[in-house]
Amino acid sequence: MQAIETKTELTAESKLPHLITSLPGPKAKQVVDRDHAILSPSYTRDYPLVAKKGRGAVIEDVDGNQFLDFAAGIAVVSTGHCHPQVVAAIQKQAAELIHMSGTDFYYPSMVELAEKLASIAPGEGPKRVYFGNSGTEAVEAAIKLARYHTKRDKLIAFFGSFHGRTIGALSLTASKAVQRKYFGPLLAGVFHAHYPNTYRGTFGDRPEQASGIALNYIENELFKRIVDPEDIAGIIIEPIQGEGGYLPAPVDFLQGLEKLCRKHGILVIADEVQSGMGRSGKWWASDHAGIEPDIICSAKGIASGMPLSAVIAKADVMDWKPGAHASTFGGNPVCIAASLATLNLLEQAYIANAARVGDYIMRQTANWPERHKIVGQVRGKGLMIGIELVKDQKTKEKAPELRNRAVDMAFHKGLLILGAGENSLRLAPPLMIDEEQADFAVRTLDGILSDLEKTV
C-alpha cells in the first residue's frame, strides 16, 4: 500500500475563512444571475456561494473570499478538496485510459477496488461488488438485486429517509413532499415504517422506547395488517438518516431489525451513501451496531468527488445473470483511481481523524441544550453531526426558520453548512479537518445561536 502524506499545503491563515467582499461579491452576483436564467429551477441553493477552487477544507469563491467548508460538497469530499494524492491519481489515470466500459471489458483497477470494498464490508463471508455512478443508482441496483434474488417484489423503507430521486429510489424516499409531488405513480409495493427517534419518540412520545415501538409497528402492524412478510424482498435503512435530520438509529433497533429480517427471509439493505466511507468514525455506520447487511449502497465519499457508487452484497445474494443489470460508465477508470487513493487516505489517517475530531466537537457542544434555549439536541457519530433547533425545549416545537437563518448567518461569517430535515443543522466537513478548524466552526455557531435566541 502506498505511503501517504496527510498534510495539505495550506498555511495556518488559509485554513480558516478570509472574507474580502460583501457576500455575494460582484463576480458571484454575475454568475448567480446567469445561472438563474439558464439552469434548471429544480436545483436548491441555500446561499449564493460561487465556488472557484478548493483545498483541504477551504473553498475560495470567484471573488477571492475563502470559506471553511463544513458541508464537504454534501458529504462527498471525504479527503478534502483536491487532495494532492487524489489529484495525482486522477491525472495519471486520465493520461492512460479514460473509458472502455467495465460492463463489456475488464479493468485491473476495477478488480482491485472491488476486492478492497469486499474486504472492508461487514461480515466474514465472500462479497461481490457492482459499480454505478451515484447514490441513487446504487439504490436502484439494490432494489433490482433484492427482487431478483428473493423473487419477491415488496420493499419497506422509513419515514424521513432519502434514497435518491430516480423513480425507484424516489419511491423509497420519504423526506419531503416536494421531492415526490407530480411524479406518480411511483414504484408499486413500497411501504414505509417509522424511524426510531430517540429525541422525539417514534410516534412523538416515549423517546426511551423508540426502538421497541418502531420494531413493534413493523411486526404487528405492517406485517399483520398490510403486507405479508413473505412478500417483502428487502428493508432499506439509513443507519444514520441524512436528509432526515442526521438522526442515528439506535443500536438495539438496528440489531432488532436485522433479527426480524432474518426471521422472515428479508434482505437487510443498508443505505450508507452518506454515512459510509468513514464519516461515522468507522468504515460503515452499520459497524457501530455490529450488524451484517446483505446489501450495502455506497457513493458520496467513496471517490473524493468523482462520480462513483458501489453496491456491495453477500456473494450468494448477488446471484443475477449476465445482462440482468449493467452501467456504461459505472466503474470508470478515472473514478476508480480516485477511489483507490481515497480509500488509502481514509484507512491510513482520516477515519481515525473523523472519530477523534468528531468526538472533540461533540464534547464542545454537549452542553448546548443547557446553554442555548433553541437547541433541542446535538447528536451524531464521527463527523456526521446534527443540531436540532426548536422554539421551545419543553414542547420540542420545530424551528425551521431559525435553522434557515443560522445557515445564512454562517455563510456570511465564512462557514459553509447546510440544513437536514425540517429544523436541524448538519455538520459534515471533510474528514481531514483539525481541531483549529473545528474550534472555528463551534465558536461561530455558538455565537450565531446566541444571537438567534435573543429573537425568540
Side-chain angles (χ1 to χ4, degrees):
M1 180 175 292
Q2 178 187 1
I4 66 169
E5 174 57 57
T6 58
K7 294 181 180 178
T8 69
E9 297 175 2
L10 293 170
T11 63
E13 291 76 16
S14 64
K15 285 168 52 180
L16 299 176
H18 180 60
L19 305 180
I20 60 176
T21 74
S22 59
L23 298 177
K27 293 181 180 178
K29 287 180 181 178
Q30 291 178 2
V31 174
V32 169
D33 289 343
R34 291 167 58 201
D35 180 290
H36 287 171
I38 194 66
L39 284 168
S40 171
S42 64
Y43 294 163
T44 55
R45 275 74 172 261
D46 286 341
Y47 40 80
L49 171 73
V50 181
K52 180 181 180 181
K53 58 184 178 181
R55 185 70 164 181
V58 174
I59 282 288
E60 183 175 315
D61 75 1
V62 290
D63 292 290
N65 297 298
Q66 293 184 340
F67 301 83
L68 179 60
D69 184 5
F70 259 55
I74 323 300
V76 167
V77 288
S78 51
T79 62
H81 294 279
C82 301
H83 191 287
Q85 291 192 27
V86 176
V87 171
I90 291 170
Q91 291 173 331
K92 181 176 183 295
Q93 182 59 54
E96 294 178 351
L97 179 68
I98 293 177
H99 174 75
M100 191 65 192
S101 188
T103 64
D104 292 292
F105 305 98
Y106 299 90
Y107 300 139
S109 59
M110 182 181 282
V111 177
E112 182 183 357
L113 180 56
E115 290 173 340
K116 180 61 182 178
L117 291 172
S119 75
I120 63 174
E124 298 298 326
K127 310 293 191 301
R128 286 188 177 272
V129 179
Y130 169 86
F131 289 114
N133 304 284
S134 67
T136 192
E137 286 189 27
V139 170
E140 291 283 351
I143 292 171
K144 292 178 67 176
L145 178 59
R147 285 180 160 186
Y148 187 100
H149 175 73
T150 63
K151 308 301 185 290
R152 304 174 179 184
D153 66 342
K154 305 296 191 297
L155 297 155
I156 293 176
F158 291 86
F159 291 116
S161 63
F162 183 87
H163 298 292
R165 297 178 185 273
T166 52
I167 291 297
L170 182 62
S171 303
L172 301 175
T173 292
S175 177
K176 299 180 179 70
V178 67
Q179 296 164 346
R180 297 165 61 100
K181 190 174 183 179
Y182 302 135
F183 296 126
L186 299 177
L187 189 67
V190 173
F191 305 90
H192 285 89
H194 296 270
Y195 196 89
N197 189 320
T198 56
Y199 174 59
R200 297 182 173 276
T202 299
F203 288 100
D205 62 357
R206 292 181 288 169
E208 71 282 357
Q209 298 179 33
S211 295
I213 293 172
L215 289 168
N216 181 71
Y217 176 83
I218 295 172
E219 188 155 33
N220 293 309
E221 296 295 330
L222 276 184
F223 287 178
K224 291 185 177 180
R225 300 177 186 273
I226 299 176
V227 58
D228 192 305
E230 293 185 1
D231 291 335
I232 299 171
I235 298 181
I236 185 167
I237 186 167
E238 298 166 274
I240 303 175
Q241 280 196 340
E243 290 292 308
Y246 270 34
L247 185 66
V251 167
D252 62 336
F253 177 79
L254 291 174
Q255 293 174 346
L257 185 68
E258 181 183 47
K259 183 178 179 180
L260 186 63
C261 287
R262 300 289 177 250
K263 175 182 176 181
H264 296 290
I266 299 168
L267 298 181
V268 179
I269 307 170
D271 182 342
E272 296 254 17
V273 169
Q274 188 162 176
S275 61
M277 290 294 108
R279 178 152 295 280
S280 71
K282 294 181 180 289
W283 275 118
W284 312 102
S286 303
D287 290 335
H288 292 278
I291 65 171
E292 298 181 13
D294 299 288
I295 302 172
I296 297 176
C297 300
S298 179
K300 286 193 181 291
I302 196 172
S304 296
M306 295 297 287
L308 181 69
S309 65
V311 174
I312 311 162
K314 294 178 178 178
D316 61 350
V317 169
M318 192 171 281
D319 57 357
W320 46 18
K321 304 303 181 185
H325 195 57
S327 167
T328 298
F329 295 105
N332 170 271
V334 181
C335 298
I336 284 182
S339 183
L340 287 168
T342 296
L343 267 61
N344 187 37
L345 289 160
L346 294 176
E347 186 167 53
Q348 294 299 306
Y350 294 152
I351 294 178
N353 191 67
R356 183 181 63 83
V357 180
D359 182 63
Y360 178 77
I361 293 174
M362 290 294 286
R363 292 199 307 272
Q364 302 303 309
T365 58
N367 66 345
W368 279 10
E370 288 73 46
R371 293 187 53 246
H372 295 293
K373 63 182 182 181
I374 62 172
V375 175
Q377 186 183 51
V378 181
R379 56 185 176 241
K381 293 182 184 297
L383 288 174
M384 192 172 183
I385 298 171
I387 304 166
E388 183 159 350
L389 302 189
V390 295
K391 294 180 181 179
D392 184 285
Q393 289 181 334
K394 290 184 179 179
T395 65
K396 301 181 182 180
E397 181 182 357
K398 297 176 181 179
E401 69 286 349
L402 292 178
R403 189 278 305 281
N404 295 342
R405 287 170 60 191
V407 170
D408 185 68
M409 291 168 71
F411 169 64
H412 284 86
K413 293 179 180 294
L415 178 65
L416 305 179
I417 59 173
L418 291 171
E422 294 181 59
N423 60 310
S424 295
L425 300 169
R426 75 172 95 184
L427 305 185
L431 307 189
M432 41 65 64
I433 64 163
D434 60 23
E435 289 185 4
E436 182 182 5
Q437 292 167 318
D439 282 337
F440 176 87
V442 169
R443 186 169 62 249
T444 299
L445 287 174
D446 196 11
I448 288 171
L449 293 172
S450 294
D451 290 339
L452 283 175
E453 63 189 354
K454 295 174 185 176
T455 68
V456 177

